[in-house]
Amino acid sequence: MAGISGLVGYSAAPEDFVGTLQVAFCDAVGALHAVVAILAALRQRQATGAGQAIEIAQWEAAVSMLGEGLLDYVMNGRVLGPTGNAHPSMVPHNNYRCQGDDAWVAIAVRSEDEWRAFCRATDHPEWADDPRFADAYQRRQHCADLDALITTWTSQRTPYEIMEILQTAGVAAMPVMSLEDQFRDAHLREREIHLESEHPKVGLEFLHGIPWRLSDTPGRIRRPAPLLGEHNQYVFGELLGLPEAEIQRLVQSGAID
């Protein structure tokens, strides 16, 4: 409904059109908008002493993520469609096959200085002098030729080798990681993004760590996900102050487990 699925794919051709998101992207977008709304309401309450109701529309929140597409339609009358890995101004900008089984690296060049640094880092300074690649516009017009040349270079190296070479030269490059790659990544392990936890029913499971870091109150994952009704006594009894008889009545009526 928000139009995001209409942008997923590599071209407008039906055989190349993916047309669906593989993750609950809009759920997270709606939640983040809710957080901002709550903070704004709390600030208003602090100033006035009065609370207020908050309504979050997930559809509208998701549409707000399509700013460039909305502007392009309003100003130019164009309807944004699937563009794959292409970028309107950065060229090269793509995922390139590397040495290994289904191994890929993402490379993005955003300026002429980076383009020349890229050519030097790949030991192909002649690319910078090629008229087909003289500037971003020409590289865009001949991106298929350029991608073929780059693939010849990347296919002889592993994604992490390429990352080291290009990042050292000041060019953005990163391996395209599977979920397994992420679990093995030294940086993410150091950041404790995937944590082991012992669940009373499931056994050993992995939990997603805290992606933000606060200097004074960093927070941590202290326990696994709760069982159904595990904290009823704490929530209804200690927090809400319901008498034991009322809690039992709610349990017996099936209102809570």
Side-chain angles (χ1 to χ4, degrees):
M1 292 173 69
I4 296 175
S5 293
L7 306 181
V8 180
Y10 291 97
S11 75
E15 63 271 17
D16 294 331
F17 185 69
V18 179
T20 183
L21 293 170
Q22 301 301 313
V23 295
F25 176 80
C26 297
D27 291 21
V29 170
L32 291 172
H33 279 72
V35 169
V36 175
I38 291 168
L39 292 174
L42 288 172
R43 183 181 180 118
Q44 178 69 5
R45 188 189 68 176
Q46 187 178 37
T48 66
Q52 58 186 304
I54 297 173
E55 176 194 313
I56 298 294
Q58 183 169 299
W59 181 5
E60 296 164 20
V63 170
S64 73
M65 304 302 293
L66 301 177
E68 291 185 0
L70 293 172
L71 283 175
D72 200 13
Y73 176 73
V74 171
M75 300 181 70
N76 302 313
R78 293 183 299 212
V79 177
L80 188 62
T83 58
N85 299 320
H87 189 274
S89 62
M90 290 191 278
V91 190
H93 188 285
N94 209 339
N95 295 336
Y96 298 91
R97 183 173 289 281
C98 303
Q99 187 180 80
D101 182 27
D102 197 24
W104 300 78
V105 67
I107 299 174
V109 174
R110 61 182 176 180
S111 69
E112 294 309 305
D113 288 340
E114 287 189 12
W115 164 242
R116 287 187 287 272
F118 174 81
C119 295
R120 292 192 298 269
T122 58
D123 292 325
H124 286 287
E126 72 277 7
W127 291 351
D129 298 325
D130 192 316
R132 296 174 298 171
F133 315 136
D135 53 37
Y137 176 78
Q138 291 298 329
R139 293 195 295 275
R140 165 68 64 200
Q141 299 301 112
H142 300 91
C143 63
D145 294 339
L146 179 57
D147 283 347
L149 291 173
I150 295 173
T151 299
T152 300
W153 181 78
T154 59
S155 61
Q156 302 174 34
R157 296 161 178 82
T158 68
Y160 281 93
E161 287 179 305
I162 297 168
M163 178 192 75
E164 293 288 345
I165 292 171
L166 295 184
Q167 286 190 10
T168 299
V171 176
M174 188 68 189
V176 178
M177 303 176 75
S178 67
L179 288 175
E180 182 179 7
D181 294 332
Q182 292 184 26
F183 273 93
R184 294 181 175 182
D185 184 75
H187 175 75
L188 293 182
R189 293 182 68 86
E190 178 68 24
R191 297 279 292 177
E192 296 185 331
I193 290 301
H194 301 296
L195 299 173
E196 293 183 0
S197 176
E198 189 69 30
H199 193 279
K201 296 292 186 181
V202 178
L204 182 65
E205 65 175 355
F206 284 95
L207 301 178
H208 190 71
I210 300 175
W212 58 83
R213 297 291 186 270
L214 303 180
S215 61
D216 297 333
T217 55
R220 61 187 176 89
I221 304 297
R222 300 190 301 274
R223 54 179 177 261
L227 299 174
L228 183 63
E230 179 181 345
H231 298 123
N232 280 355
Q233 189 61 43
Y234 169 69
V235 173
F236 295 104
E238 296 183 35
L239 295 183
L240 298 181
L242 295 182
E244 183 62 29
E246 177 63 13
I247 295 176
Q248 291 305 315
R249 188 190 69 80
L250 292 172
V251 171
Q252 293 171 4
S253 67
I256 61 176
D257 291 312

